Amino acid sequence: MTDSLPITERSRLRRSHPRGHFDRATINDILDAQPLCSVGYVMEGKPYVTPTLQWREGDHVYWHGSSASRALRAGCDAEVCLSVSILDGFVLARSGFHHSVNSRSVTLFGTAFRVEDAEEKLTRLTRFVDGLFAGRYAGLRPDRTQDLKATTVLGLKIAEGSAKIRTGGPNDEPEDYTLPIWAGVIPVRMQIGSPVPDPRNLDEVEMPGHVRDFRLGGQNEPSTRG
Amino acid sequence: MTDSLPITERSRLRRSHPRGHFDRATINDILDAQPLCSVGYVMEGKPYVTPTLQWREGDHVYWHGSSASRALRAGCDAEVCLSVSILDGFVLARSGFHHSVNSRSVTLFGTAFRVEDAEEKLTRLTRFVDGLFAGRYAGLRPDRTQDLKATTVLGLKIAEGSAKIRTGGPNDEPEDYTLPIWAGVIPVRMQIGSPVPDPRNLDEVEMPGHVRDFRLGGQNEPSTRG
């Protein structure tokens, strides 16, 4: 496993080259910071995009869903494009043309595979839950065989793709900086709210640490707690 | 313009039917609440997904980019799938299988068209800026002809697609409610941060109301201000 992905015809950035990144550390940080992703696939020549949650283990990314799902059946052993994008702010410039957004995104290409082995599937799903909520899975009612059968896990090797990052303020035309126009950035971020216990929780059940201290992503871009 | 979209073979929900919505009011609210979208398209039989910003005007949705962009050239006069998804919370259940997320999403299908007329293109881009920041465009340095030429605006009629919404707490198996497991929801939402003025703003320039009071979406799901 090399530290960077190869730059291919479909993964190279045609514009804004300085914003492109191919190193795994940058790609992994973005994948880990935002589980929500969009999986693109083709059915009968037409494009489909399905929002779902992804999780990363090493140099693979996984997603799951009902075995009856059209998206999962169409995405198996077929070319997919998996996209994660995080909006970090609105960039207001002195001309409409130079308005932009600060964002981090990852686009991955490849052929998705189905996790066929039942034990491996359970391991993957356990990691999915525990990746979001450390140590939670062991305390749950174990999943039933029929529920695991009804669940498909798809995987994609992180082998082709890129990250794109924009940060900072507006980049205006030199002569526009003399204009009396407010420019700057309106930051946005994902805020984690106070947990809402199910009214049917048993009285003696306390809120676990993986709920109380829930956060998304690694050390670089922690989500805020509201 | 009818109040609901037709339910077609590709837009009907195969599972979780109660979560599906075809009425324009629901679809519009979600589009208006989150400009970030994913546009899926097909090139040489393979799927591509590009994150970009969308804006809605009546029963059309628009997005834009560089005229040199591969995504915009491939998406013009071609089938696209436009997806907007908003993560509202993590739903923690008493078994792994019943974990879920609260979310709002819209998926639209159709053939994208390019806004060819130069005046109409300027009108659309003005609405894009003013839709996010009311009244901002008139105060900006006017866009140059070459910049407008270098910008492509694509549109899609909102005619086929659906919304999907999940809200509320976990739906566990009846017998699992006796288990001493914490269940509930961890809400997440987009937080608008304090605006960061460009250090090169002129001293006399004050922060306009469209920055100070910036928010996303309609009255139903306002973003929070941090």
Side-chain angles (χ1 to χ4, degrees), chain B residues 6-181:
Chain B
I7 301 178
T8 67
E9 179 55 27
R10 64 180 168 180
S11 74
R12 76 181 171 87
L13 275 76
R14 279 149 184 79
R15 294 160 302 110
S16 305
H17 298 264
R19 297 180 189 164
H21 301 267
F22 293 85
D23 63 290
R24 288 183 183 274
T26 300
I27 290 170
N28 291 349
D29 276 353
I30 295 171
L31 293 171
D32 295 349
Q34 175 54 278
L36 185 66
C37 74
S38 297
V39 179
Y41 55 99
V42 179
M43 273 202 320
E44 297 176 359
K46 295 188 174 179
Y48 289 78
V49 177
T50 299
T52 189
L53 299 192
Q54 55 80 27
W55 70 100
R56 184 182 68 84
E57 297 185 40
D59 60 347
H60 284 83
V61 63
Y62 296 94
W63 62 103
H64 86 303
S66 162
S67 300
S69 154
R70 178 180 58 172
L72 268 76
R73 282 183 288 122
C76 179
D77 295 325
E79 287 272 350
V80 298
C81 176
L82 188 147
S83 166
V84 169
S85 51
I86 303 169
L87 187 60
D88 289 324
F90 293 90
V91 180
L92 288 79
R94 293 160 180 88
S95 64
F97 185 70
H98 285 297
H99 279 61
S100 188
V101 288
N102 284 335
S103 64
R104 291 165 285 158
S105 64
V106 162
T107 305
L108 299 175
F109 301 100
T111 301
F113 61 88
R114 191 200 317 252
V115 176
E116 301 281 2
D117 181 75
E119 265 188 53
E120 194 201 335
K121 185 156 76 175
L122 181 56
T123 303
R124 295 285 87 79
L125 291 168
T126 303
R127 289 280 294 269
F128 176 34
V129 172
D130 286 346
L132 286 167
F133 318 108
R136 181 167 179 83
Y137 199 86
L140 297 174
R141 188 265 289 155
D143 279 317
R144 301 175 300 195
T145 305
Q146 71 263 36
D147 290 343
L148 290 170
K149 274 190 184 156
T151 303
T152 290
V153 175
L154 293 188
L156 176 69
K157 195 170 163 70
I158 303 174
E160 184 179 0
S162 63
K164 193 173 168 186
I165 299 176
R166 191 207 186 277
T167 59
N171 296 318
D172 274 304
E173 299 298 322
E175 64 272 22
D176 289 345
Y177 284 93
T178 60
L179 298 172
I181 298 171

Side-chain angles (χ1 to χ4, degrees), chain A:
Chain A
M1 180 163 119
T2 58
D3 289 342
S4 287
L5 305 192
I7 301 178
T8 67
E9 179 55 27
R10 63 179 168 180
S11 73
R12 75 180 172 88
L13 275 76
R14 279 149 185 79
R15 294 160 303 110
S16 306
H17 298 264
R19 297 180 190 164
H21 301 267
F22 294 85
D23 63 290
R24 288 183 183 274
T26 300
I27 290 170
N28 291 349
D29 276 353
I30 295 171
L31 292 171
D32 295 349
Q34 175 54 279
L36 185 66
C37 74
S38 297
V39 179
Y41 55 99
V42 179
M43 272 202 321
E44 297 177 359
K46 295 188 174 180
Y48 289 78
V49 176
T50 299
T52 189
L53 299 192
Q54 55 80 27
W55 70 100
R56 184 182 68 84
E57 297 185 39
D59 61 347
H60 284 83
V61 64
Y62 296 94
W63 62 103
H64 86 304
S66 162
S67 300
S69 154
R70 178 179 59 172
L72 268 76
R73 282 183 287 122
C76 178
D77 295 325
E79 287 272 350
V80 297
C81 176
L82 188 146
S83 166
V84 169
S85 51
I86 303 169
L87 187 61
D88 289 324
F90 294 89
V91 181
L92 287 78
R94 294 161 180 87
S95 63
F97 184 71
H98 285 297
H99 279 61
S100 187
V101 288
N102 284 335
S103 64
R104 290 165 286 158
S105 64
V106 162
T107 305
L108 300 175
F109 301 99
T111 301
F113 61 88
R114 191 199 317 252
V115 175
E116 301 282 2
D117 181 75
E119 265 189 54
E120 194 201 335
K121 185 156 77 174
L122 181 57
T123 304
R124 294 285 87 79
L125 291 168
T126 302
R127 290 280 295 269
F128 176 34
V129 172
D130 285 346
L132 286 167
F133 318 108
R136 181 168 179 82
Y137 199 86
L140 298 174
R141 189 265 289 156
D143 279 317
R144 301 175 300 194
T145 305
Q146 71 263 36
D147 290 342
L148 291 170
K149 275 190 184 156
T151 303
T152 290
V153 174
L154 293 188
L156 176 69
K157 195 170 163 70
I158 303 174
E160 185 179 1
S162 63
K164 192 173 168 186
I165 299 177
R166 190 207 187 277
T167 59
N171 297 317
D172 274 305
E173 299 298 322
E175 64 271 22
D176 289 344
Y177 284 93
T178 60
L179 298 172
I181 298 171
W182 191 95
V185 174
I186 302 177
V188 299
R189 67 189 314 177
M190 190 180 282
Q191 182 188 41
I192 311 294
S194 297
V196 181
D198 187 341
R200 296 180 67 179
N201 281 349
L202 302 186
D203 285 344
E204 71 269 23
V205 172
E206 290 186 10
M207 188 182 291
H210 63 248
V211 174
R212 201 178 50 240
D213 305 326
F214 177 76
R215 49 185 284 174
L216 285 172
Q219 301 305 310
N220 297 327
E221 288 288 341
S223 51
T224 56
R225 181 131 207 131

